[in-house]
């Protein structure tokens, strides 16, 4: 899978995507993540990417031309399955969206900034808008990093068996059961006996019950098929 991220702040993305499972997936050739500086598609000396808003309201707006040039350049190289804009107005990211995106071959993520982008970009160039929650970030880079992290780890081979995505929270619309490691008794706080029993069938049953119970208590909407 290839992910091209268009941003005015490339530095903000390099570190979050340069470690752990994501780095390994890139090193294994399962994912290729390219960070593209929008300013490389400007034509003036100051490499301007924003301008004042029509209508007189405060706040700068990202201009259509450099964005169109960047996207057109990428599209001239290959087909893209999705051109995503990170925005608080978008569809809220969930595990289902991450699963779907992980099956795509090529995607572009455009990071929003300033007051936002010229609306014509959204009307004519973007195929999907994604929000990572009902709050406003300074820019779309951290949202893009969250999207990429949630997607790339799901690409087959990105994780080893121990890290398997199948036991993640949300994967069956259930939260994950509680997990423990040594010591079995810490200050009298004990690991549930069943997990020490070695009885795999009983452990599976207990974990499923716990997952259901935690979901019922903490996120009952998931059991109703909600998100
Ligand atoms: N840009 C600013 N806030 C955002 C959010 N909540 N999700 C995605 N992109 C954003």
């Amino acid at each position: 899978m290839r992910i091209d991220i268009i941003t005015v702040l490339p530095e903000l993305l390099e570190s979050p995507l340069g470690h752990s499972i994501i780095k390994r997936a890139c090193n294994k050739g399962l994912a290729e993540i390219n960070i593209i500086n929008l300013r490389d598609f400007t034509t003036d000396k100051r490499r301007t990417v924003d301008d004042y808003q029509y209508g007189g309201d405060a706040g700068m707006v990202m201009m259509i031309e450099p964005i169109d040039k960047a996207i057109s350049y990428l599209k001239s190289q290959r087909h893209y399955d999705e051109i995503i804009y990170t925005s608080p107005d978008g569809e809220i990211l969930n595990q289902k969206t991450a699963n779907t995106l992980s099956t795509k071959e090529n995607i572009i993520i455009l990071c929003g900034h300033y007051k936002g982008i010229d609306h014509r970009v959204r009307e004519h160039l973007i195929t999907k808008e994604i929000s990572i929650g009902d709050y406003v970030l300074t820019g779309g880079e951290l949202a893009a990093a969250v999207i990429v992290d949630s997607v790339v780890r799901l690409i087959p081979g990105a994780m080893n068996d121990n890290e398997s995505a199948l036991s993640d929270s949300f994967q069956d619309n259930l939260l994950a059961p509680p997990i423990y490691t040594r010591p079995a008794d810490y200050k009298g706080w004990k690991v549930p006996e069943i997990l020490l029993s070695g009885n795999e069938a009983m452990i599976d049953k207990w974990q499923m019950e716990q997952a259901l119970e935690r979901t019922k208590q903490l996120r009952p909407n998931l059991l109703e098929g909600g998100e």
Side-chain angles (χ1 to χ4, degrees):
M1 173 180 204
R2 178 186 169 115
I3 305 175
D4 290 299
I5 309 176
I6 304 173
T7 171
V8 290
L9 283 175
E11 308 80 21
L12 210 50
L13 281 159
E14 274 151 21
S15 175
L17 301 176
H19 301 275
S20 183
I21 293 173
I22 308 306
K23 182 180 177 187
R24 212 192 316 144
C26 293
N27 289 343
K28 281 191 197 167
L30 299 170
E32 180 183 341
I33 302 169
N34 299 295
I35 300 172
I36 291 143
N37 190 338
L38 183 62
R39 291 186 200 280
D40 292 344
F41 293 86
T42 54
T43 45
D44 64 319
K45 226 163 105 191
R46 291 180 53 239
R47 302 181 16 113
T48 312
V49 290
D50 61 328
D51 206 340
Y52 294 100
Q53 248 186 91
Y54 278 124
D57 281 349
M60 302 298 273
V61 177
M62 287 172 78
M63 296 152 72
I64 190 167
E65 192 178 347
I67 295 173
D68 182 33
K69 283 195 169 135
I71 292 177
S72 298
Y73 169 71
L74 291 170
K75 280 167 78 173
S76 73
Q77 306 292 307
R78 65 195 66 78
H79 167 77
Y80 283 91
D81 304 295
E82 213 70 87
I83 303 178
I84 296 166
Y85 173 53
T86 55
S87 154
D89 307 355
E91 151 192 332
I92 307 248
L93 180 67
N94 59 22
Q95 196 62 35
K96 193 169 143 222
T97 307
N99 282 334
T100 306
L101 288 175
S102 74
T103 65
K104 307 288 183 199
E105 210 161 311
N106 301 311
I107 63 173
I108 294 174
I109 304 179
L110 170 66
C111 302
H113 245 277
Y114 312 108
K115 192 81 187 166
I117 50 174
D118 188 307
H119 200 71
R120 289 167 291 185
V121 173
R122 300 165 81 165
E123 284 173 333
H124 299 288
L125 301 175
I126 296 299
T127 62
K128 192 178 193 63
E129 301 200 8
I130 296 183
S131 164
I132 62 160
D134 287 339
Y135 43 82
V136 178
L137 301 165
T138 314
E141 284 73 15
L142 296 179
V146 169
I147 296 167
V148 172
D149 188 299
S150 69
V151 169
V152 170
R153 63 193 290 283
L154 296 173
I155 299 173
M159 290 190 278
N160 57 40
D161 286 348
N162 294 335
E163 298 160 339
S164 167
L166 296 174
S167 57
D168 284 346
S169 279
F170 305 113
Q171 215 43 280
D172 303 309
N173 264 5
L174 286 178
L175 300 183
I179 53 173
Y180 304 86
T181 185
R182 287 184 290 185
D185 185 340
Y186 180 72
K187 294 182 174 173
W189 303 331
K190 295 200 171 94
V191 169
E193 204 64 45
I194 183 89
L195 294 176
L196 312 176
S197 69
N199 184 331
E200 271 186 41
M202 292 290 283
I203 292 173
D204 283 351
K205 184 165 171 280
W206 179 85
Q207 286 175 327
M208 182 45 84
E209 285 163 5
Q210 290 290 315
L212 257 170
E213 195 49 44
R214 282 177 62 73
T215 312
K216 229 187 269 176
Q217 272 181 22
L218 302 171
R219 296 290 302 276
N221 56 323
L222 290 175
L223 296 173
E224 290 143 24
E227 285 161 358

